[in-house]
Amino acid sequence: MSENTDDKLPIRMLHDRVLVRSESPEGERRSGGGILIPATAAVGRRLGWAVVVAVGQNVRTVEPGDRVLFDPEDRAEVEVRGVAYVLMRERDLHAVAADRFEGSEDSTGLYL
């Protein structure tokens, strides 16, 4: 995407809902060593990373712009202005990676 369309989304999230944009496209992917893994390859339960686009008023742990870890199998997709987003509840998120955690007591010190 050359321009950031997330800033002007005509959506206001309600309650504990979180709207995210998946970072990894569906289909083929590459391993850390550069090996191409086809979309048809059987893999175990694999979590995915996404960027938070909007949050409801009762969401307390994430903010727009944070990277979150979620289960792609427990998701509801929605398309807004031709861009696919994933809608979920805050409790369905497994982890948050954000610059604001750097150096804080809550940080694990691990690189996610």
Side-chain angles (χ1 to χ4, degrees), residues 4 6 8 13 18 34 43 45 55-56 61 63 66 76 100-101:
N4 187 0
D6 296 336
K8 300 174 185 164
M13 302 306 295
V18 179
V43 293
R45 186 171 167 157
V55 297
T61 57
E63 298 174 0
D66 288 351
R100 69 177 187 274
F101 296 141

Side-chain angles (χ1 to χ4, degrees), residues 15-84:
H15 311 297
D16 66 340
R17 301 301 195 263
V18 179
L19 188 69
V20 300
R21 186 182 64 244
S22 183
E23 289 183 346
S24 58
E26 298 294 324
E28 296 179 344
R29 62 184 196 280
R30 291 200 178 270
S31 71
I35 298 171
L36 184 65
I37 302 170
T40 57
V43 293
R45 186 171 167 157
R46 183 176 181 91
L47 300 178
W49 286 101
V51 175
V52 175
V53 176
V55 297
Q57 68 267 21
N58 294 336
V59 173
R60 300 181 309 178
T61 57
V62 296
E63 298 174 0
D66 288 351
R67 290 181 69 221
V68 293
L69 189 63
F70 72 103
D71 185 355
E73 296 193 16
D74 296 334
R75 67 182 186 180
E77 293 186 11
V78 63
E79 188 172 313
V80 179
R81 295 183 177 168
V83 179

Side-chain angles (χ1 to χ4, degrees), residues 49 67 96-99 102 107-112:
W49 286 101
R67 290 181 69 221
V96 181
D99 290 336
E102 239 177 85
S107 179
T108 63
L110 300 175
Y111 292 100
L112 296 178

